[in-house]
Amino acid sequence: MDGPAARMLRAMTDPAPEDAEYHGWWADASRLSDEDLGTLLPAAYAAVGRAPVSTSVRFAVEGEGRERQPRYTPDACRRMFDALGQGLEQRKWADVRLGAGALLRCAGPWPDVAGQARTLVLFLLAERRLDQPYALLAVAGVAGPGLLREVADRLADGGGPIARDEIDVIAGLGVEERVVVAEFAADGSHTGPPTAEDAAERAAGIPAYAGFARRALEAAAGRARAIQDGTVPYRADKAFASGEVKALGHAARIALLRDEPWLPALLARLLPDVSVAPTQAKTLPSQALLYEIVRAAEDFPIPELVTTIRTVRGSVRHAGVPKQLDKMLKRVEAALAERADVALRLPDLGFGPDGAYRRDLGAHTAVITAGEKAALVFEKDGKALKSVPAAVRRDHKAEVKELRELAKRVDAHLTTLVRALEGGYTAGAVHGFGRWRDGLARHPVAGPTVRRLIWEVEEAPGEWRAVLPETGGVPDAPDAPDAAGVRLWHPLRSAPDEVRAWRDLLVERRIRQPFKQAFREVYLLTPAEERTGAYSNRFAAHLVHYRRMFALFRARGWTSRLLGPWDGGYEDEAARVLGAGEWRARFAHVLADWQDELALAGTDRVTFERRDGGAWREAPLSEVPPLVFSEAMRDVDLFVGVTSIAADPEWSGDGETRRYWERSGFAELTESAAARRDALARILPRTKIAERCSLDGRFLVVRGDLRTYKVHLGSANILMEPDDAYLCIVPSGRTAGGTVFLPFEDGRLSLILSKAFLLAGDTAITDESILAQIKGGAR
């Protein structure tokens, strides 16, 4: 070890006078190698209470250790155990996870640390410090079998049968397997590194632990059913002890990662039974277990579980649980999109090849079809009826309820599918043609959705042909062999002429896509971003309604702390992981104003990070994959465009906020507004107000009988000619011209069209507040 690493080691162990001369020389620990970090961390742990420079360097090293995956030589591993044993009487605690983690990351044969491990474990038992149970088991196993059994007995005491089963299984594993499980279980640690990326896979590969996972979940399902049946007395939130909830979380993660075939049906029984009281009470048998399994789904999602969670969300009686599930579901769906191997799996639910589910109910037939949404209709003699027949309501009440529940399940499956498809863009998901054709394009439930999207089929290495199955049918062999790749088409990879052709076709054929694809915005690196290099100011310096933006963060799978007038609550960076987990976008924002009824935030720069050895490293914008960059910036554009006060027609602030509103409410178009303009250019000629409308730069110009109006395509704000007086129209919830075909869902586009229809017939307006502005000029 030499250079900065050697100096940092000296500063923590035997500082020289010159080490304190240059304040902050130690601050950049990011240049340390993983091996240097492994050497320095034991010294950092032992540096508590030493000279100020030792403490400062220690904080820098430990901070880096929390972000990286250090590598330990056998000697560094031994020194970590030595450091853990120092000062125990003063600390009254030791971070044994650091010891177990050092063994896991040891680059050579494990050193003999049985003596140090025994000292550690005996001290923690005497102090009753059992808050790192899995790491404690791992370290006790190094100390010897007798001490391991004592620790296992202490940990199992009072934890519930499922928790005891897990402890017994871990105690029976080999010493290296126990270290792996300790890493997977990730006991809390103030200075420990991120969980090793392969820890879950290694833990799932231990047969005895995988066997425990199934046994534990089956036991949980059995107990939950017994509570529902009344065999076990019901007590709110007491169905499982806290240790059992933790153990079941581990079991769920193992089974989800292994994608066990028995798991979806088991969870479909377990989650409803722990989510609704057997009485009419609004409590739950185990809110803790419900949330723990959803958190497990965030780590290793499968589509069946996402659907089950969404179904449970609709049946739970507790007022606060649906809101919490909504927040968690956003993260689960974002994670599912990154797990391309399972994300698009969908059951047929009994639907026939024609995409319909039929059930005879006496003289009538119930039919469920899967389109944009599931539709339940009743037929008699092949003719669809407008409502549920009286005979069916009278004689088949239970079946009608079951059919409606099935339609809800279909909608839940389709929602999961669409979000997984769109979210998988940046992961570069490529599917085998045979699986795509049979499991998606021709699937009785998924097919209608999948066929309305544009796909690319790889005809030769690197040569892709775009197809829209809704118009040309599903291609078949020999044109596309089963081994060929299939991926979603994205306008970023296509020439402008091709993009225009697809947009024209969608509007001409009136094909509404499940998400914005052909009209999707594309964000390319700008000269300004090339100059700044590491960050983008494209969406900086905007004033936004903070609570609305925070809700959008959750809806789009971004994580962020809630800002507010408390310590540390004035700034944050919302983050989203993209590109199959290899990239992370960060969007900085600050609290600009806080009032009881209003919170404003100011937007700042966007940066990107690349995953490097389990840690995140800032990356130049030029190195970010174009698709990752475009999709991240598209989200940020959405956050700003939807929540900016410039889009608030009733904004009445003064000073800087008013000047911002005036400046931004009619500014140059962003990419999202430009895509809206492109859509309007195709939609308007097909409407009854076509002759009264034209597009002029940033505006849709609408000629009424009383005035001519300019509707801004970004904010939907309105100016009136000839003096550019502002016209305030507050959306009423009713959409004029609501029958106009839109090729994708866009609330702002609908609002602009609604205003255009209203203003084109301005002589029919009866709202006095609007008429006063039109006839009297600016307000």
Side-chain angles (χ1 to χ4, degrees), residues 340-369:
D341 54 330
V342 301
L344 307 184
R345 188 170 60 208
L346 204 66
D348 62 30
L349 301 175
F351 279 61
D354 62 347
Y357 175 94
R358 291 179 171 82
R359 182 184 295 185
D360 289 333
L361 302 175
H364 299 85
T365 301
V367 182
I368 301 176
T369 54

Short mmCIF file of all heavy atoms in Angstrom, two decimals, residues 340-369:
data_model
loop_
_atom_site.label_atom_id
_atom_site.label_comp_id
_atom_site.label_asym_id
_atom_site.label_seq_id
_atom_site.Cartn_x
_atom_site.Cartn_y
_atom_site.Cartn_z
N ALA A 340 -36.80 -9.10 -17.25
CA ALA A 340 -37.42 -9.42 -18.53
C ALA A 340 -37.75 -10.90 -18.69
O ALA A 340 -38.66 -11.26 -19.43
CB ALA A 340 -36.51 -8.97 -19.68
N ASP A 341 -37.03 -11.78 -17.98
CA ASP A 341 -37.25 -13.21 -18.16
C ASP A 341 -38.61 -13.68 -17.64
O ASP A 341 -39.12 -14.71 -18.07
CB ASP A 341 -36.13 -14.02 -17.50
CG ASP A 341 -35.96 -13.66 -16.02
OD1 ASP A 341 -36.24 -12.51 -15.66
OD2 ASP A 341 -35.52 -14.53 -15.25
N VAL A 342 -39.21 -12.92 -16.71
CA VAL A 342 -40.50 -13.33 -16.17
C VAL A 342 -41.58 -12.27 -16.33
O VAL A 342 -42.75 -12.55 -16.12
CB VAL A 342 -40.38 -13.70 -14.67
CG1 VAL A 342 -39.40 -14.83 -14.47
CG2 VAL A 342 -39.99 -12.49 -13.83
N ALA A 343 -41.19 -11.05 -16.69
CA ALA A 343 -42.11 -9.92 -16.63
C ALA A 343 -43.36 -10.10 -17.49
O ALA A 343 -44.44 -9.62 -17.13
CB ALA A 343 -41.39 -8.63 -17.04
N LEU A 344 -43.24 -10.77 -18.61
CA LEU A 344 -44.35 -10.82 -19.57
C LEU A 344 -45.15 -12.11 -19.49
O LEU A 344 -45.96 -12.40 -20.38
CB LEU A 344 -43.81 -10.62 -20.99
CG LEU A 344 -42.94 -9.37 -21.17
CD1 LEU A 344 -42.54 -9.23 -22.63
CD2 LEU A 344 -43.66 -8.13 -20.69
N ARG A 345 -44.95 -12.86 -18.43
CA ARG A 345 -45.69 -14.11 -18.27
C ARG A 345 -47.12 -13.79 -17.88
O ARG A 345 -47.37 -12.96 -17.01
CB ARG A 345 -44.99 -14.94 -17.20
CG ARG A 345 -45.53 -16.35 -17.05
CD ARG A 345 -44.61 -17.13 -16.15
NE ARG A 345 -44.51 -16.54 -14.82
CZ ARG A 345 -43.45 -16.67 -14.04
NH1 ARG A 345 -42.38 -17.31 -14.45
NH2 ARG A 345 -43.45 -16.13 -12.83
N LEU A 346 -48.07 -14.47 -18.50
CA LEU A 346 -49.48 -14.16 -18.25
C LEU A 346 -50.31 -15.43 -18.33
O LEU A 346 -50.18 -16.18 -19.31
CB LEU A 346 -49.97 -13.14 -19.29
CG LEU A 346 -51.16 -12.27 -18.92
CD1 LEU A 346 -50.80 -11.32 -17.80
CD2 LEU A 346 -51.61 -11.45 -20.13
N PRO A 347 -51.17 -15.72 -17.36
CA PRO A 347 -52.04 -16.89 -17.45
C PRO A 347 -53.17 -16.65 -18.45
O PRO A 347 -53.51 -15.51 -18.75
CB PRO A 347 -52.59 -17.02 -16.03
CG PRO A 347 -52.57 -15.63 -15.49
CD PRO A 347 -51.37 -14.97 -16.10
N ASP A 348 -53.77 -17.73 -18.98
CA ASP A 348 -54.86 -17.54 -19.96
C ASP A 348 -56.20 -17.32 -19.27
O ASP A 348 -57.16 -16.86 -19.91
CB ASP A 348 -54.94 -18.72 -20.93
CG ASP A 348 -55.26 -20.04 -20.26
OD1 ASP A 348 -55.94 -20.07 -19.21
OD2 ASP A 348 -54.81 -21.09 -20.77
N LEU A 349 -56.31 -17.64 -17.96
CA LEU A 349 -57.51 -17.37 -17.15
C LEU A 349 -58.77 -18.01 -17.73
O LEU A 349 -59.88 -17.58 -17.44
CB LEU A 349 -57.73 -15.85 -17.01
CG LEU A 349 -56.59 -15.09 -16.34
CD1 LEU A 349 -56.89 -13.59 -16.37
CD2 LEU A 349 -56.38 -15.55 -14.91
N GLY A 350 -58.61 -19.04 -18.56
CA GLY A 350 -59.76 -19.72 -19.13
C GLY A 350 -60.30 -19.08 -20.39
O GLY A 350 -61.35 -19.50 -20.90
N PHE A 351 -59.61 -18.08 -20.92
CA PHE A 351 -60.04 -17.44 -22.16
C PHE A 351 -59.74 -18.34 -23.35
O PHE A 351 -58.73 -19.05 -23.38
CB PHE A 351 -59.33 -16.10 -22.35
CG PHE A 351 -59.94 -14.97 -21.56
CD1 PHE A 351 -59.98 -15.02 -20.18
CD2 PHE A 351 -60.48 -13.87 -22.21
CE1 PHE A 351 -60.54 -13.99 -19.44
CE2 PHE A 351 -61.04 -12.82 -21.48
CZ PHE A 351 -61.08 -12.89 -20.09
N GLY A 352 -60.62 -18.28 -24.36
CA GLY A 352 -60.43 -19.08 -25.56
C GLY A 352 -59.51 -18.41 -26.56
O GLY A 352 -59.11 -17.26 -26.39
N PRO A 353 -59.15 -19.11 -27.62
CA PRO A 353 -58.26 -18.56 -28.64
C PRO A 353 -58.78 -17.27 -29.28
O PRO A 353 -58.00 -16.48 -29.80
CB PRO A 353 -58.16 -19.69 -29.69
CG PRO A 353 -58.54 -20.93 -28.94
CD PRO A 353 -59.55 -20.49 -27.92
N ASP A 354 -60.10 -17.06 -29.24
CA ASP A 354 -60.67 -15.84 -29.82
C ASP A 354 -60.58 -14.64 -28.88
O ASP A 354 -61.10 -13.57 -29.18
CB ASP A 354 -62.12 -16.07 -30.23
CG ASP A 354 -63.02 -16.42 -29.04
OD1 ASP A 354 -62.48 -16.73 -27.95
OD2 ASP A 354 -64.26 -16.40 -29.20
N GLY A 355 -59.95 -14.82 -27.71
CA GLY A 355 -59.79 -13.71 -26.78
C GLY A 355 -61.01 -13.45 -25.93
O GLY A 355 -61.17 -12.34 -25.42
N ALA A 356 -61.87 -14.45 -25.75
CA ALA A 356 -63.09 -14.26 -24.96
C ALA A 356 -63.24 -15.39 -23.96
O ALA A 356 -62.82 -16.52 -24.18
CB ALA A 356 -64.31 -14.19 -25.86
N TYR A 357 -63.86 -15.04 -22.83
CA TYR A 357 -64.21 -16.02 -21.80
C TYR A 357 -65.73 -16.11 -21.78
O TYR A 357 -66.42 -15.09 -21.68
CB TYR A 357 -63.68 -15.55 -20.44
CG TYR A 357 -64.08 -16.44 -19.27
CD1 TYR A 357 -63.23 -17.45 -18.84
CD2 TYR A 357 -65.30 -16.26 -18.61
CE1 TYR A 357 -63.59 -18.26 -17.76
CE2 TYR A 357 -65.66 -17.06 -17.55
CZ TYR A 357 -64.80 -18.06 -17.13
OH TYR A 357 -65.17 -18.87 -16.08
N ARG A 358 -66.26 -17.33 -21.88
CA ARG A 358 -67.71 -17.51 -21.94
C ARG A 358 -68.18 -18.45 -20.84
O ARG A 358 -67.51 -19.45 -20.54
CB ARG A 358 -68.13 -18.06 -23.30
CG ARG A 358 -67.95 -17.08 -24.45
CD ARG A 358 -68.34 -17.70 -25.79
NE ARG A 358 -68.36 -16.69 -26.85
CZ ARG A 358 -67.28 -16.29 -27.50
NH1 ARG A 358 -66.10 -16.82 -27.19
NH2 ARG A 358 -67.37 -15.37 -28.44
N ARG A 359 -69.35 -18.10 -20.28
CA ARG A 359 -69.97 -18.99 -19.30
C ARG A 359 -71.48 -18.91 -19.48
O ARG A 359 -72.06 -17.82 -19.49
CB ARG A 359 -69.60 -18.61 -17.87
CG ARG A 359 -70.21 -19.56 -16.85
CD ARG A 359 -69.93 -19.14 -15.42
NE ARG A 359 -68.53 -19.18 -15.09
CZ ARG A 359 -68.06 -18.95 -13.86
NH1 ARG A 359 -68.90 -18.66 -12.88
NH2 ARG A 359 -66.77 -19.00 -13.62
N ASP A 360 -72.11 -20.07 -19.63
CA ASP A 360 -73.56 -20.13 -19.78
C ASP A 360 -74.23 -19.97 -18.42
O ASP A 360 -73.87 -20.64 -17.44
CB ASP A 360 -73.98 -21.47 -20.40
CG ASP A 360 -73.58 -21.57 -21.86
OD1 ASP A 360 -73.46 -20.52 -22.52
OD2 ASP A 360 -73.32 -22.70 -22.33
N LEU A 361 -75.20 -19.07 -18.37
CA LEU A 361 -75.99 -18.82 -17.17
C LEU A 361 -77.46 -18.96 -17.54
O LEU A 361 -78.12 -17.99 -17.89
CB LEU A 361 -75.70 -17.43 -16.61
CG LEU A 361 -74.24 -17.12 -16.23
CD1 LEU A 361 -74.09 -15.67 -15.81
CD2 LEU A 361 -73.76 -18.05 -15.13
N GLY A 362 -77.94 -20.19 -17.52
CA GLY A 362 -79.30 -20.43 -17.95
C GLY A 362 -79.44 -20.17 -19.44
O GLY A 362 -78.67 -20.69 -20.26
N ALA A 363 -80.40 -19.33 -19.80
CA ALA A 363 -80.65 -19.03 -21.21
C ALA A 363 -79.69 -17.97 -21.75
O ALA A 363 -79.76 -17.63 -22.93
CB ALA A 363 -82.10 -18.58 -21.40
N HIS A 364 -78.84 -17.44 -20.91
CA HIS A 364 -77.94 -16.36 -21.30
C HIS A 364 -76.49 -16.83 -21.24
O HIS A 364 -76.17 -17.82 -20.59
CB HIS A 364 -78.13 -15.14 -20.40
CG HIS A 364 -79.50 -14.56 -20.44
ND1 HIS A 364 -80.54 -15.04 -19.66
CD2 HIS A 364 -80.03 -13.55 -21.18
CE1 HIS A 364 -81.64 -14.35 -19.91
NE2 HIS A 364 -81.36 -13.43 -20.84
N THR A 365 -75.63 -16.09 -21.90
CA THR A 365 -74.19 -16.37 -21.90
C THR A 365 -73.46 -15.11 -21.47
O THR A 365 -73.67 -14.03 -22.03
CB THR A 365 -73.70 -16.80 -23.29
OG1 THR A 365 -74.40 -17.96 -23.70
CG2 THR A 365 -72.19 -17.09 -23.25
N ALA A 366 -72.61 -15.26 -20.47
CA ALA A 366 -71.74 -14.15 -20.03
C ALA A 366 -70.46 -14.22 -20.85
O ALA A 366 -69.88 -15.29 -21.02
CB ALA A 366 -71.43 -14.25 -18.55
N VAL A 367 -70.02 -13.06 -21.36
CA VAL A 367 -68.82 -13.00 -22.20
C VAL A 367 -67.91 -11.89 -21.67
O VAL A 367 -68.35 -10.74 -21.51
CB VAL A 367 -69.17 -12.72 -23.67
CG1 VAL A 367 -67.89 -12.71 -24.53
CG2 VAL A 367 -70.16 -13.76 -24.20
N ILE A 368 -66.66 -12.25 -21.39
CA ILE A 368 -65.64 -11.26 -21.00
C ILE A 368 -64.62 -11.19 -22.12
O ILE A 368 -64.09 -12.21 -22.56
CB ILE A 368 -64.93 -11.64 -19.68
CG1 ILE A 368 -65.94 -11.75 -18.55
CG2 ILE A 368 -63.87 -10.60 -19.34
CD1 ILE A 368 -65.32 -12.21 -17.24
N THR A 369 -64.38 -9.99 -22.62
CA THR A 369 -63.35 -9.79 -23.64
C THR A 369 -62.27 -8.87 -23.09
O THR A 369 -62.54 -8.00 -22.26
CB THR A 369 -63.94 -9.18 -24.92
OG1 THR A 369 -64.65 -7.97 -24.57
CG2 THR A 369 -64.89 -10.15 -25.59
#
